[in-house]
Amino acid sequence: MATRPKKYPTPTPSGEEKVVKTKKELICSIIKKKTKQKFLSDNQRIYYEQLTKNQITICSGPAGVGKSYIAMKSAIDLLSDPETPYEKIIIVRPAVEAEEKLGSLPGNVEEKLDPYIFPSYYLLNKIIGKESRDKLKEIEAVEVFALAFMRGMNIDNSILIFEEAQNSTPNQMKLLLTRIGFNSKFFISGDLEQTDRYKDIKHSGLYDAIQKFKNMDDIGVFEFQAEDIVRNSLITKILKRYEEWELQ
């Protein structure tokens, strides 16, 4: 039996609450305009198109190419489009410190994950503003999940963003990929040169997934290169210097 869309209360001018909006309508009232079509490179545009086309997109690339920004921009555009089925952005990151131990963190699961999720919140604030981000969280249109607790879940009507995927194991990646349900998209990305877990990148779940799914329908694989860096040009010089010293 089909279920009716959940209704959400919206305030009337008199201050009384009147149930008039579905969750999708409420999302569209919070994000009223599509994000600007601003791409700093041809490959950013191609990546954006892959994200909107495929059910799952797996991306690798160095810092500064814009992979996180383009993924979040695409997620916001899809979420706020009244013609799409997506009602939620789910943010997932592996809880691995970058060679800096934070110790035991207080709070619930989301509060414990906040230090890892902060870059995603920063992008949301940059794209739609903190006020809109807070409103989306309030109606559970933005949620944070811990990868460790996703076993047994099916993700429907959602866009899942999984970053820092180079720090996942192949088994964790398999767990994540098999959570995809109906009317959902998964955006998976990472930088194989900045793993905080593996000395050999071939042990990474991101590397393993790229090799396995390069030529599979409904799964897109996109690989940025150093020449795609669009942030401060000094980043390119820094990465090149690290590569030179590693070869000595």
Side-chain angles (χ1 to χ4, degrees):
M1 181 182 294
T3 57
R4 293 182 179 179
K6 186 176 179 181
K7 299 288 184 178
Y8 287 79
T10 55
T12 62
S14 63
E16 299 175 357
E17 286 191 344
K18 186 176 180 181
V19 178
V20 294
K21 291 190 176 182
T22 65
K23 184 171 183 178
K24 190 68 174 183
E25 289 171 335
L26 198 51
I27 289 168
C28 294
S29 73
I30 294 171
I31 311 172
K32 296 177 182 178
K33 294 188 296 183
K34 190 174 181 180
T35 64
K36 294 179 181 179
Q37 295 297 315
K38 184 180 179 181
F39 301 99
L40 299 181
S41 71
D42 289 339
N43 274 342
Q44 282 192 356
R45 184 183 298 278
I46 294 168
Y47 180 44
Y48 179 91
E49 291 169 354
Q50 282 219 22
L51 291 166
T52 56
K53 169 188 170 185
N54 296 298
Q55 288 189 54
I56 296 174
T57 303
I58 303 170
C59 172
S60 70
V65 297
K67 55 188 183 294
S68 297
Y69 176 82
I70 296 300
M72 188 63 76
K73 170 183 166 59
S74 177
I76 289 294
D77 287 345
L78 290 166
L79 181 73
S80 61
D81 184 345
E83 302 301 318
T84 69
Y86 312 114
E87 296 184 343
K88 184 179 297 186
I89 294 175
I90 297 172
I91 301 170
V92 182
R93 283 191 181 218
V96 178
E97 293 103 333
E99 298 184 10
E100 184 177 0
K101 301 299 181 184
L102 299 178
S104 179
L105 298 173
N108 59 30
V109 171
E110 182 170 346
E111 289 168 339
K112 289 178 186 293
L113 287 171
D114 268 351
Y116 308 101
I117 301 299
F118 175 79
S120 297
Y121 284 167
Y122 173 81
L123 285 174
L124 275 170
N125 294 349
K126 187 174 181 179
I127 295 169
I128 61 172
K130 185 179 184 301
E131 183 179 349
S132 293
R133 189 258 286 182
D134 288 341
K135 288 180 180 178
L136 291 178
K137 285 191 68 180
E138 189 176 314
I139 64 169
E140 298 181 350
V142 171
E143 285 194 318
V144 173
F145 285 2
L147 180 59
F149 301 148
M150 293 188 70
R151 193 176 301 278
M153 295 178 64
N154 286 318
I155 308 297
D156 298 322
N157 303 312
S158 301
I159 301 162
L160 183 145
I161 298 177
F162 181 54
E163 296 195 306
E164 302 297 328
Q166 74 275 6
N167 288 327
S168 67
T169 68
N171 281 338
Q172 286 177 320
M173 183 65 75
K174 180 181 178 181
L175 168 66
L176 181 80
L177 292 174
T178 54
R179 298 309 94 203
I180 192 165
F182 294 105
N183 299 320
S184 286
K185 286 183 180 290
F186 281 16
F187 299 166
I188 298 166
S189 65
D191 179 357
L192 288 170
E193 299 303 321
Q194 290 197 29
T195 175
D196 302 302
R197 195 174 204 166
Y198 304 106
K199 291 183 178 179
D200 185 347
I201 61 172
K202 293 182 179 179
H203 295 157
S204 163
L206 177 60
Y207 178 89
D208 183 68
I210 289 172
Q211 304 310 309
K212 280 187 169 76
F213 301 114
K214 270 186 175 178
N215 299 298
M216 186 170 172
D217 291 343
D218 295 319
I219 297 182
V221 172
F222 195 88
E223 297 180 77
F224 284 101
Q225 306 300 325
E227 55 266 27
D228 294 313
I229 293 174
V230 292
R231 291 210 313 246
N232 191 324
S233 59
L234 183 59
I235 294 175
T236 304
K237 297 177 182 178
I238 291 170
L239 292 175
K240 185 176 180 181
R241 181 58 58 90
Y242 271 105
E243 289 174 4
E244 290 170 352
W245 275 71
E246 285 171 2
L247 293 174
Q248 291 180 9

